[in-house]
């Protein structure tokens, strides 16, 4: 197992079951860039950690079931199922905050992390945001 795979596995562990924001922060380079379907492009460790804080607050006991895990050079790629119950507030890109829906979610997604010197410098997250919102009951009928 290479460095990229090890860092990605540590990130997954820090995001699920008992989230650890300090551990998450230590895995990202200070100048890291992340791209997410719901928040777009995030610049810098602090912005990325804030994104994960909101996600782990919304689904505090999430799990991740790995379907495929790859490592190519300095990049790790995971495809899997993120699932859990939305018990915490949801922060919308508009700045609005909604209370937890108490609904279970199960979202298939892909994470891609490029690592340099033991830290993530480039991170890409892909999931179907419409599926996520539909499972939460937040789409109009």
């Amino acid at each position: 197992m290479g460095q990229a795979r090890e860092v990605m596995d540590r990130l997954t562990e820090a995001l699920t079951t008992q989230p650890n924001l300090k551990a998450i922060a230590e895995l990202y380079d200070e100048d890291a860039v992340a791209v997410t379907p719901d928040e777009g492009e995030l610049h810098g460790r602090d912005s990325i950690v804030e994104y994960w804080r909101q996600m782990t607050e919304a689904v505090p006991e999430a799990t991740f079931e790995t379907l495929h895990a790859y490592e190519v050079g300095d990049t790790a790629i995971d495809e899997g199922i993120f699932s859990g119950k939305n018990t915490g507030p949801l922060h919308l890109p508009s700045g609005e905050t909604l209370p937890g829906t108490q609904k279970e979610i199960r979202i298939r997604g892909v994470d891609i992390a490029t690592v340099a010197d033991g830290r993530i410098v480039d991170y890409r997250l892909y999931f179907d945001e419409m599926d996520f919102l539909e499972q939460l009951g937040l789409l109009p009928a």
Side-chain angles (χ1 to χ4, degrees), residues 14 17 79 82 106 120:
T17 309
E79 177 186 6
F82 176 85
R106 185 170 166 80
I120 299 168

Side-chain angles (χ1 to χ4, degrees), residues 17-83:
T17 309
Q18 295 183 336
N20 183 335
L21 293 177
K22 183 178 179 191
I24 293 166
E26 290 172 357
L27 294 170
Y28 281 93
D29 185 78
E30 184 178 334
D31 297 321
V33 174
V35 177
T36 71
D38 50 344
E39 291 293 327
E41 194 166 295
L42 306 169
H43 293 271
R45 177 189 300 139
D46 294 342
S47 295
I48 297 166
V49 171
E50 176 60 16
Y51 174 81
W52 287 127
R53 183 194 67 74
Q54 291 179 16
M55 183 65 81
T56 59
E57 188 177 270
V59 187
E61 295 182 5
T63 61
F64 185 78
E65 173 191 349
T66 301
L67 301 175
H68 299 281
Y70 305 100
E71 182 178 44
V72 180
D74 62 357
T75 301
I77 304 162
D78 283 348
E79 177 186 6
I81 307 290
F82 176 85
S83 59

